[in-house]
Amino acid sequence: MSPRDVVITGIGLVSCLGEGAEAHWQAFMAPVVPPVTDSTRFPPYTIHALPEIDWGLQIPKRGDQRQMETWQRLGVYAAGLALDDSGIKGDAGLCATMDMIVAAGGGERDEEVDANILEASLSRNDTEILLNEKLTTDLRPTLFLAQLSNLMAGNISIVHNVTGSSRTFMGEESAGISAVETAAARLRAGTSSHVLVGGAFQTEHPDMLLGYELDGHLQHGAWEPLWHRSAEGGGVISGSGAAFLVLETREHAVARGRTPYAIIDRVASSRTNRAPGALAAGIGRLLDALAAPGGDRLVISGASGAIDATAAELSALEGSAFRGISALIGHVKEAEFPFAIALAALAISRGAALPALDNMVETPFDGAPDAVLATTVGYYRGEGAALIRKA
Amino acid sequence: MAKTTDHLGRPVVAVTGLGVVTSLGAGMTENWAALTAGKSGIHPITRFPIDHLKTQIAGTVDFLPSSNLGMAALTYEMAEMAGREAIAQAGIGSDFGGPLFLAAPPVELSWQERLALYRQDDALTGYGRLLAVARKAGPSALFEAAQFGTVADRLADAFGTRGLPITTSTACASGATAIQLGVEAIRRGECDRAISIGADGSATAEALIRFSLLSALSTQNDMPEKASKPFSKDRDGFVLAEGSAALVFESLESALARGARVLGILRGCGEKSDDFHRTRSKPDGSPAIAAVKAALLDAGMSEDEIGYVNAHGTSTPENDKMEHLSLSTVFGARIKSVPVSSNKSMIGHTLSAAGAVEAAFSLMTMLEGVLPPTINYDVPDPAIDLDVVPNVKRSADVSAVLSNSFGFGGQNACLVMAREPV
C-alpha cells in the first residue's frame, strides 16, 4: 500500500443499458441475452443505441447543449456522472486543479449537407468548385467545433469547470488505453493528484459505421454472441457509450474522505504485429507483464467481436473466467478500456463476479474477486490491459 | 560535469535531434535560412480551386510527393521527413528504441475519397450508398486513411519506436503537448529517449472553409506574403499552413554517456485549461498566465531568466491581444525589453504542428544566437507594446526561451527551453 496508489473514486457510464454505475452493475448481474439491439435504423447493421437521456441533468445550459452534437454531449454527460460519483462535481477548488485526459475520435458530420454534395456531384464535372459552393453556404459555423476531437475535453472544461490540464488522445481503442496508462503514470509520479479520464463513442451516425466498414469489420444481420460471430460480416456490433473515471492518488482520496472502488495496480499496452498467429501470444505477454496473481482469475474483456482479434483473445484467455462486455453494450471504441476498468472496479467493490454472458465459452467465477484483469484488444491495432485490485 | 538531475531531482531532458518541414522548405538548414531572412512561405492556394472562398492564401506544403494525396498521406510524409532528420542528427540508427508522441490533426475520409466511393454504385443515396459500396468492396485502402491511429502506427514501424505510440490533439497546442508527453516519460524514468513529432497536412478546402466560417482566417489575399502580421494593428486573422517538426529527447545522462551533441534542454512544461468559451480566452487572461507560470515553475526558473519569447502570435485580433496581456502580466514592465517574435508571420499557423515547429525554432534561436523576426510589422498595434523583433532578424545571446501555444477548446501549453544544462 502506497500513498501514490492509483485509486478509482468515480465512475460515469452511459450505454444502451442505461446510465450510472449502479444501473450498469444491475444490468450485468442479471444480463438479458440476447440483448436489446436495433437492427432497423442502419440495416444490415445492428447497433446498441443510446437510451433516452435528459441532457439537462449534466449539461444545464441549453446554450451549451446546442454547441455540441450527441458525441460530445455524451462524453460531457458521462464525465459529469463520474465527477458527481466522486464528490468532485461543483467543488471549485478540486475542479480547477483536476487534470483530464480524454480519448476521442471525431464528432458527427452533417449528414444532410454531405448527402446533398454527393448527389450533386453526379451531375457536375467541377466537383471541387461544387464543394466550395456547398460547404461555404451550407455548413453551420459551429459544427466544426462539434466535430473537433479536443472539443469534448473543451466542453467538459466549460460545463464542469475541470481546468487543471486538458489532453486529448486519438487512435481508436488505443487512445483509451494510453489515456488510462498516462493518467496512472502521472498520478504515481506525483505530477497529478486527481485526474478525469475516459472517452465516448457515438455510433448512431452512418459515417461512424463507414469507419469500420471500409475494412469490412461490421457484423451484418442480427446480434450474435460476441465470441463466435462469423456468420456474416466482420464481427463488430458497435454501440453508443461513454465511460469516465475519476482517478486519484490514495493520499488525495483519503484526505478528502473518499472510499475508493478499487486501485489500478498496473497498466500495460502493446502494439502487436497482427500477422496471423501473432496476436494471441502478444496478448499473453501483455497479461504476463501485469504479473497478475495466479489461480482462478476474472477478466473483464473489451473484446470488439472483430473476427481475428476476438479469436486471438479467446485463445489467450483460455483458462480464465472472462466476460466480453461488448456483448451487451456494443463496441464503444475509445471508451472500451475505461468501460472495462469500470466494471472490473465494480466487481471488486461489490465483492462479486459478473455472471457469464455466454455459456458456450465463459465459465463461472465463484466468490469475491480480489484482483480483476481488464483487457482491450483493438479491432485493428493496439492492445491494453490493467490489473485492478481491492483498495 | 553537468548535473543530470533538475531542481526536483528528475532527469534533465536534453534535445539531441531536430527536424522540420514547412512551406519554407524541407530540413532545418533551408528553413532556418529562410526564417532568419524574413522570407514568407505564404502563397496563393493552388491545391484546390479558390472559387467562392473568402480566404485564397495559405502556407501549404506543395513540394512533396504526397502534397495532393490528402491529409493523412501528407501528414505522414512530413512527420516522417522531420523524424528522420531529427533521428539522424541525434546519431541514432534505424532502431529508435524509445516511445513516440505524435501531434496530428483529427482525420476523416477526404471529399475526393467520398465522391469516388459514391460514383461506384447507383443504388441508394447519401451515406446509405457509401456504406453499400464499402460492404460490397470489402477491405479498402481508404480504411487506414480514416483511422486516427494510422499515422503514428506507420511512424512507429518506420523508426522502430517502442510501445504503443500516442497521438494527441490539443488543437493549436498539440505540438507542445506532444513535447510535454515525451519530457514526462523521460522524467518518470520510463525511457532514456523519446521522440515527439508535430505534423499537420490538413489544409483541405473543407478545413479552410471551417476556419473561415469561424472568421478566424486572414482575408488579405492580394499580397499573400504580407497577410500574416502578428501584433500589427491591421491584423485580421491567421493564415492556415502546414508543416512538421520532430524533436529527439534524451535524458542528459544518456546523451552525455553516448557522446551525443546536446542542442538544448527542455527545462519546463506548463499547461492550464480555460473554461470560458470554445474559441475565446477568459478576458482576464488567467489561464494563459497560469500556463506560463506553470512552465517557469516546472523549469525552476524565474521570468527574469527568459531572454526571448517565441510567441504563439497567430495574427488574429483576439490571440495577439490576449497573449500580450498574459506576457505583460507575468513579466511586468520588463516585457518591453524582452524580444517577442512570431514565426507564424512567415510560416503561417501550422495548427497541430505549430508547438513542435516553434519549439524547434526556439532551440535554433539559442544555438545560432539569432532572433527570427516578426515580418509584416508595418503598422504597430499601439495597444501591444512589445519588442517584436520587427521585420529584420537580430543577433542576440539568448540562454532561455519561452514558447507559447494556445488552442481552441481552452488549450494553453507553454514550454521553457534553455541552451545549457544548469
Side-chain angles (χ1 to χ4, degrees), chain A residues 98-101 183 187 192-197 245-248:
Chain A
M98 184 175 213
D99 294 313
M100 167 165 50
I101 308 182
L187 287 162
S192 287
S193 53
H194 53 306
V195 188
L196 177 66
V197 61
L245 305 168
V246 171
L247 307 182
E248 50 193 317

Side-chain angles (χ1 to χ4, degrees), chain A residues 199-386:
Chain A
F201 180 64
Q202 205 287 88
T203 200
E204 295 156 65
H205 188 292
D207 204 32
M208 298 300 163
L209 297 173
L210 187 61
Y212 291 100
E213 196 63 334
L214 285 169
D215 201 39
H217 287 296
L218 289 179
Q219 171 86 357
H220 301 169
W223 185 92
E224 284 186 281
L226 179 76
W227 298 103
H228 21 87
R229 287 176 186 161
S230 51
E232 236 187 303
V236 174
I237 296 178
S238 58
S240 295
F244 274 83
L245 305 168
V246 171
L247 307 182
E248 50 193 317
T249 58
R250 186 189 291 277
E251 62 186 347
H252 193 267
V254 168
R256 60 187 198 93
R258 303 302 296 191
T259 307
Y261 286 99
I263 71 171
I264 299 184
D265 192 19
R266 289 193 186 83
V267 186
S269 62
S270 63
R271 192 179 68 95
T272 303
N273 183 314
R274 294 295 180 96
L279 183 55
I283 299 168
R285 283 193 299 276
L286 190 69
L287 297 181
D288 291 345
L290 295 176
D296 285 351
R297 58 185 187 186
L298 179 66
V299 181
I300 306 297
S301 164
S304 61
I307 307 293
D308 295 344
T310 302
E313 186 171 352
L314 183 63
S315 134
L317 295 181
E318 202 186 328
S320 299
F322 54 87
R323 307 288 181 258
I325 59 171
S326 293
L328 298 195
I329 62 169
H331 184 237
V332 292
K333 228 181 218 180
E334 286 85 3
E336 197 70 46
F337 193 55
F339 217 115
I341 290 174
L343 288 170
L346 284 169
I348 284 172
S349 69
R350 308 279 171 127
L354 284 57
L357 308 169
D358 176 349
N359 291 320
M360 297 272 287
V361 292
E362 297 187 354
T363 54
F365 183 97
D366 297 323
D370 285 332
V372 180
L373 293 174
T375 63
T376 291
V377 174
Y379 65 100
Y380 186 71
R381 61 164 64 96
E383 308 87 34

Side-chain angles (χ1 to χ4, degrees), chain B residues 291-331:
Chain B
V292 173
K293 286 184 172 170
L296 289 166
L297 186 70
D298 190 50
M301 293 170 72
S302 96
E303 61 274 12
D304 297 341
E305 296 173 75
I306 299 294
Y308 165 70
V309 178
N310 187 307
H312 189 54
T314 57
S315 186
T316 62
E318 161 93 359
N319 175 82
D320 297 1
K321 182 182 79 176
M322 293 309 297
E323 190 165 13
H324 170 251
L325 171 65
S326 335
L327 289 173
S328 49
T329 306
V330 175
F331 286 83

Side-chain angles (χ1 to χ4, degrees), chain B residues 6 42 121 145 180 215 256 263 272 279 303 354 370-371 382 390 416:
Chain B
D6 71 5
I42 311 306
D121 206 334
Q180 185 168 19
S215 307
L256 294 175
L263 306 173
K272 176 71 185 167
T279 57
E303 61 274 12
V370 176
L371 308 178
V416 172

Side-chain angles (χ1 to χ4, degrees), chain A residues 40-181:
Chain A
T40 59
R41 278 168 64 196
F42 301 99
Y45 311 112
T46 293
I47 58 160
H48 297 254
L50 281 181
E52 197 164 317
I53 296 172
D54 180 356
W55 300 112
L57 293 176
Q58 290 294 342
I59 311 170
K61 290 186 189 158
R62 303 281 299 177
D64 284 335
Q65 290 181 36
R66 275 196 301 273
Q67 292 287 324
M68 298 180 251
E69 295 292 313
T70 304
W71 170 67
Q72 286 179 357
R73 274 186 222 126
L74 180 57
V76 174
Y77 192 92
L81 292 177
L83 292 168
D84 263 340
D85 192 42
S86 69
I88 286 178
K89 179 82 158 296
D91 183 320
L94 285 171
C95 286
T97 51
M98 184 175 213
D99 294 313
M100 167 165 50
I101 308 182
V102 172
E108 298 93 336
R109 295 180 60 86
D110 188 321
E111 209 179 320
E112 197 185 326
V113 171
D114 286 358
N116 288 339
I117 293 174
L118 290 169
E119 195 55 31
S121 75
L122 299 177
S123 54
R124 294 269 293 257
N125 292 320
D126 54 349
T127 51
E128 289 190 304
I129 292 174
L130 168 76
L131 279 177
N132 291 358
E133 229 174 80
K134 293 277 192 190
L135 294 173
T136 47
T137 51
D138 295 353
L139 279 185
R140 278 182 292 129
T142 53
L143 186 70
F144 177 30
L145 299 172
Q147 290 179 284
L148 269 184
S149 302
N150 75 303
L151 261 288
M152 177 178 287
N155 279 295
I156 291 172
S157 291
I158 289 170
V159 173
H160 303 308
N161 309 109
V162 173
T163 56
S165 67
S166 165
R167 299 176 184 181
T168 294
F169 289 178
M170 304 185 298
E172 292 73 40
E173 296 99 323
S174 301
I177 294 164
S178 297
V180 173
E181 190 171 27

